[in-house]
Amino acid sequence: DARVTQTPRHKVTEMGQEVTMRCQPILGHNTVFWYRQTMMQGLELLAYFRNRAPLDDSGMPKDRFSAEMPDATLATLKIQPSEPRDSAVYFCASGPVHEQYFGPGTRLTVT
Amino acid sequence: AQKVTQAQTEISVVEKEDVTLDCVYETRDTTYYLFWYKQPPSGELVFLIRRNSFDEQNEISGRYSWNFQKSTSSFNFTITASQVVDSAVYFCALSEFGSGTYKYIFGTGTRLKVLA
């Protein structure tokens, strides 16, 4: 049963530190998404890639967030420097473009 | 602008009752997709169904059924004979193609509590 994997599952860091979250999409899926979930904002799409190329990152704060796909088996989301308002659950999803399968998420706490 | 509204914030039912979760959407496109996802207490989001805008056939999968009505811009989800394991937050979502890329919008979710 293929699944999207995300590491780490939990991360606690201090404000100003760099945070890197990793995602391994399901083999064969050509679209990878990054979402953020908070109580206040709900689920927000940050960015997505198709065939490793970034297609839309309009939901991402550009000054501190960056997303990349160095290869087809790895997607990364980086925050530098992190701030307390970045505390959230970050989900990666992969799929054909209209069918998203989510990973378990990374719960980030920035103190 | 595209929008997904799930007006029911929380619903509580007793086991074996039927329950319908409402979803109303707004879009300017004629081609779009609608989805339902389940988020159980474990936190993972589970894909339930996808519907494209050209397919208004209702769908049934076991105890789950979906009613898509373009005339009212609704895509409602019914659970028949609910069970405690159905307790979760359910999200309705929309994707449409605009400005050269797909946009994905999620509703705020409906928390379903099924009581034994």
Side-chain angles (χ1 to χ4, degrees), chain A residues 14-103:
Chain A
E14 291 183 350
M15 183 173 65
Q17 297 297 305
E18 177 179 300
V19 175
T20 299
M21 290 169 270
R22 294 177 174 78
C23 166
Q24 182 172 12
I26 294 172
L27 193 64
H29 285 180
N30 67 347
T31 311
V32 176
F33 306 81
W34 282 106
Y35 285 89
R36 176 171 63 184
Q37 185 176 35
T38 61
M39 289 295 293
M40 294 300 295
Q41 300 297 327
L43 266 163
E44 305 171 276
L45 177 66
L46 297 175
Y48 75 95
F49 295 76
R50 177 141 337 119
N51 297 322
R52 295 177 53 202
L55 286 194
D56 187 0
D57 61 1
S58 58
M60 206 162 65
K62 301 290 191 306
D63 55 339
R64 300 181 299 107
F65 284 60
S66 62
E68 295 180 343
M69 276 202 77
D71 62 60
T73 64
L74 177 65
T76 62
L77 180 67
K78 191 174 293 186
I79 308 174
Q80 168 64 20
S82 58
E83 297 180 1
R85 59 180 167 148
D86 301 329
S87 297
V89 180
Y90 291 81
F91 287 101
C92 174
S94 73
V97 65
H98 292 299
E99 204 164 299
Q100 300 177 35
Y101 296 88
F102 283 77

Side-chain angles (χ1 to χ4, degrees), chain B residues 81-97:
Chain B
S82 59
Q83 299 176 3
V84 173
V85 293
D86 296 326
S87 297
V89 180
Y90 291 87
F91 292 94
C92 180
L94 162 75
S95 76
E96 63 171 29
F97 191 77

